[in-house]
Amino acid sequence: MLRFLQNSPHALELVYAGTSKMLVPFRRVMKRGSRMERLFIHLEKWTKGATFDCRMCGQCVLHSTGMTCPMTCPKELRNGPCGGVRANGYCEVLPDRPCVWSQAWERSRKMPLYGQEILHVLAPVDRRLKDTSAWVNHLHPELLKPPAGWES
Ligand code: SF4
């Protein structure tokens, strides 16, 4: 089931697009430190943990990475693949596993809505957002400011 979901990125991007729109009216109640955030932290741990092996970075970029979590790369690369990916598309560090970024690329090719976003350079991870709700942060872009001096 999990593999089926991961390999159905178009269905997942539709869920993402729908959820993004559906949550906009709740922006005012979904704030940092609110009860709603605590609820969403649990929901995200449970749903995204089961589906994407989410590491709760708090700044979700799944729609930009072929619905494949970049934090599951052993090097936690936000932009990949690294120079060590093997010719067979497997990981340099964990040779028995496919490269997360190679999978991200393949899956992004099946995403008509957001597939091109994989070509954008992503900001470095802001570790201060770890274990916060990515949906709350998504609704409040001011919480997602990239580090000073960083430009895409
Ligand atoms: S990008 Fe961050 S929030 Fe999204 S699934 Fe990966 S660890 Fe979780």
Side-chain angles (χ1 to χ4, degrees), residues 32-105:
R32 170 72 73 252
S34 64
R35 233 186 258 179
M36 283 291 270
E37 183 181 39
R38 288 196 290 279
L39 173 66
F40 267 75
I41 288 171
H42 287 301
L43 283 174
E44 288 176 36
K45 273 187 185 161
W46 184 64
T47 55
K48 292 201 297 188
T51 313
F52 305 105
D53 195 13
C54 171
R55 308 295 164 93
M56 294 299 288
C57 74
Q59 50 232 280
C60 200
V61 287
L62 282 169
H63 64 288
S64 302
T65 57
M67 305 309 283
T68 305
C69 175
M71 305 313 285
T72 60
C73 164
K75 298 180 184 178
E76 295 191 344
L77 289 184
R78 213 65 171 173
N79 295 283
C82 71
V85 60
R86 293 166 194 266
N88 64 359
Y90 275 59
C91 175
E92 173 184 44
V93 181
L94 303 169
D96 57 331
R97 289 199 204 162
C99 165
V100 165
W101 276 98
S102 158
Q103 289 181 312
W105 174 257

